[in-house]
């Protein structure tokens, strides 16, 4: 690629970072005739085309809807990227910067005082935090997630994002504890596609690669295999009230899983993860007698392969 073409590509990336794919495409059109067959330029033009028409329609929406639409279309963009044979990271990064800058501006324009419900305020903080995270402002994002968690304590989505930011900030032990909590609270609520840290992305990819038959319930199995792989190895001691609730939840889930009308594929990994948590409690309290043996037997009956991997 000539210096002139490289400069043109650089200018196109700058336009993408500003959320102006139409301008980026015009720049690339001027250098395309001298670079026919250049895969990076072709990829960047495709990326521009993916966003141009969509962004033109945003002005018809209010601020919050604009942010939501940008999030949704970003997920569509990532799905489309998975089908590409070759991906150019600097182009993707430029698009990401532009998209989440626009989304952040949209969410920042929302009048937070007009939101009456804690869930609404927490959601706005969550989305604002994710935008900052996607723009590489990890400390800012982490502070926002902490605030969101104060507004709506115990949200799996918020705690998972807190964990992700901790990992991105190099706080791996804190990240492991928080990820462990988030997946226990409700794996279904966690959008694993928005998580960015290598800690969780490598774990998710390994589960996908080694256990392809588990799709589309993969995120329910992520915490189970995180235990088996030794990733969720930082544990906290449960309070007495938490132990009682855990036992009650296990009892209820054991009843649910016997009903064929329920989604067994999702309930099974959830129950196994609960068993793991109760085992940890018994071990921490040195209760290694019949109670522990009973739980291990239940794991063995529910899934022999998981049991064998667990007791290794």
């Amino acid at each position: 690629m000539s210096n002139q073409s490289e400069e043109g590509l650089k200018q196109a990336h700058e336009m993408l970072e500003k959320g102006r794919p139409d301008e980026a495409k015009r720049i690339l059109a001027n250098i395309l005739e001298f670079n026919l067959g250049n895969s990076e330029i072709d990829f960047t033009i495709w990326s521009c085309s993916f966003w141009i028409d969509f962004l033109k329609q945003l002005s018809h929406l209010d601020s919050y809807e604009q942010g939501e639409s940008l999030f949704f279309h970003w997920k569509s963009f990532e799905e489309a990227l998975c089908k590409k044979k070759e991906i150019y990271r600097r182009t993707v990064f430029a698009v990401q910067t532009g998209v989440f800058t626009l989304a952040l501006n949209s969410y920042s324009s929302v009048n937070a005082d007009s939101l009456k419900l804690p869930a609404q305020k927490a959601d706005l903080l969550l989305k604002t935090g994710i935008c900052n995270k996607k723009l590489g402002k990890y400390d800012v994002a982490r502070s926002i997630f902490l605030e969101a968690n104060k507004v709506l304590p115990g949200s799996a989505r918020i705690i998972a994002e807190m964990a992700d930011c901790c990992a991105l900030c190099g706080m791996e032990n804190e990240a492991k504890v928080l990820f462990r909590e988030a997946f226990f609270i409700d794996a279904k609520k966690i959008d694993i596609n928005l998580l960015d840290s290598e800690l969780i992305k490598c774990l998710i990819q390994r589960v996908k690669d080694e256990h392809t038959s588990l799709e589309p319930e993969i995120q329910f199995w992520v915490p189970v295999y995180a235990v088996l792989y030794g990733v969720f190895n930082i544990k906290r001691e449960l309070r007495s009230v938490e132990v009682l609730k855990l036992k009650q939840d296990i009892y209820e889930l054991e009843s649910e899983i016997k009903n064929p009308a329920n989604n067994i594929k999702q309930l099974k990994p959830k129950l196994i993860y609960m068993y793991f948590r109760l085992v940890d409690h018994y071990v921490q309290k040195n209760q290694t007698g019949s109670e522990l043996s009973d739980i291990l037997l239940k794991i063995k009956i529910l899934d022999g392969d998981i049991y064998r991997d667990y007791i290794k």
Side-chain angles (χ1 to χ4, degrees):
M1 189 186 300
S2 67
N3 290 337
Q4 184 178 2
S5 298
E6 180 62 34
E7 181 60 28
L9 195 56
K10 180 182 177 182
Q11 291 175 9
H13 286 152
E14 289 174 354
M15 288 298 102
L16 284 171
E17 289 176 2
K18 294 177 181 178
R20 295 162 60 183
D22 50 346
E23 291 293 329
K25 190 173 182 179
R26 274 195 281 273
I27 293 170
L28 294 170
N30 292 331
I31 63 174
L32 182 61
E33 61 180 309
F34 305 107
N35 293 274
L36 293 175
N38 184 296
S39 56
E40 184 171 13
I41 292 176
D42 290 342
F43 176 82
T44 307
I45 290 174
W46 170 83
S47 298
C48 293
S49 299
F50 191 95
W51 288 94
I52 289 173
D53 290 339
F54 167 78
L55 291 180
K56 288 179 180 177
Q57 300 169 8
L58 278 184
S59 59
H60 302 296
L61 304 175
D62 65 32
S63 295
Y64 183 80
E65 289 173 337
Q66 285 182 21
E68 294 293 276
S69 296
L70 285 161
F71 262 63
F72 184 80
H73 205 62
W74 172 257
K75 292 178 183 179
S76 298
F77 180 64
E78 289 194 312
E79 289 174 4
L81 286 177
C82 292
K83 300 175 183 178
K84 287 287 182 181
K85 292 182 180 179
E86 197 167 11
I87 296 174
Y88 290 88
R89 281 291 147 199
R90 60 176 177 170
T91 296
V92 175
F93 178 76
V95 173
Q96 177 173 309
T97 300
V99 168
F100 285 99
T101 297
L102 290 173
L104 180 59
N105 291 338
S106 297
Y107 287 123
S108 298
S109 299
V110 176
N111 181 9
D113 293 333
S114 67
L115 304 176
K116 298 179 180 179
L117 299 177
Q120 293 176 320
K121 295 179 180 179
D123 182 69
L124 182 61
L125 287 167
L126 174 68
K127 300 296 176 51
T128 304
I130 292 173
C131 289
N132 277 284
K133 184 187 73 171
K134 291 291 185 180
L135 294 172
K137 302 173 184 177
Y138 303 137
D139 288 326
V140 174
R142 182 168 168 268
S143 296
I144 294 172
F145 293 138
L146 286 169
E147 185 180 351
N149 190 54
K150 291 178 182 177
V151 174
L152 191 70
S155 165
R157 294 176 67 195
I158 294 172
I159 294 173
E161 288 294 344
M162 287 171 57
D164 203 34
C165 267
C166 283
L168 290 166
C169 291
M171 303 162 63
E172 189 167 285
N173 286 349
E174 291 88 339
K176 289 181 177 182
V177 171
L178 290 171
F179 272 131
R180 189 169 177 267
E181 293 297 315
F183 277 98
F184 177 75
I185 292 169
D186 195 346
K188 190 174 185 178
K189 294 287 179 64
I190 299 172
D191 192 339
I192 60 176
N193 295 315
L194 288 175
L195 301 177
D196 293 330
S197 63
E198 287 301 306
L199 172 66
I200 197 69
K201 286 181 71 174
C202 290
L203 168 62
I204 292 168
Q205 193 58 52
R206 182 178 174 185
V207 176
K208 286 181 176 180
D209 292 342
E210 296 182 5
H211 307 280
T212 54
S213 63
L214 298 180
E215 291 281 10
E217 286 77 26
I218 201 78
Q219 70 193 76
F220 295 91
W221 286 99
V222 164
V224 173
Y225 282 98
V227 173
L228 299 182
Y229 296 157
V231 178
F232 288 2
N233 58 351
I234 307 298
K235 304 163 186 177
R236 69 173 180 85
E237 189 171 322
L238 298 178
R239 301 188 302 273
S240 298
V241 66
E242 290 178 301
V243 176
L244 291 174
K245 188 177 185 308
L246 176 58
K247 290 181 177 180
Q248 180 62 33
D249 289 344
I250 286 174
Y251 176 79
E252 292 175 359
L253 198 55
E254 286 173 339
S255 299
E256 287 181 41
I257 208 168
K258 293 174 184 177
N259 185 348
N262 292 326
N263 191 335
I264 308 301
K265 290 183 178 180
Q266 292 182 7
L267 294 179
K268 180 180 173 180
K270 185 176 180 179
L271 183 55
I272 291 172
Y273 193 43
M274 285 183 176
Y275 286 151
F276 286 172
R277 198 171 179 90
L278 191 53
V279 168
D280 288 339
H281 168 70
Y282 287 146
V283 171
Q284 286 176 337
K285 293 296 185 180
N286 291 318
Q287 295 176 239
T288 54
S290 60
E291 290 179 315
L292 177 60
S293 299
D294 289 345
I295 295 299
L296 291 174
L297 179 59
K298 287 181 177 182
I299 296 173
K300 184 176 183 179
I301 293 171
L302 193 57
D303 193 310
D305 292 335
I306 294 292
Y307 170 78
R308 283 187 287 274
D309 287 340
Y310 185 56
I311 64 171
K312 283 182 180 177

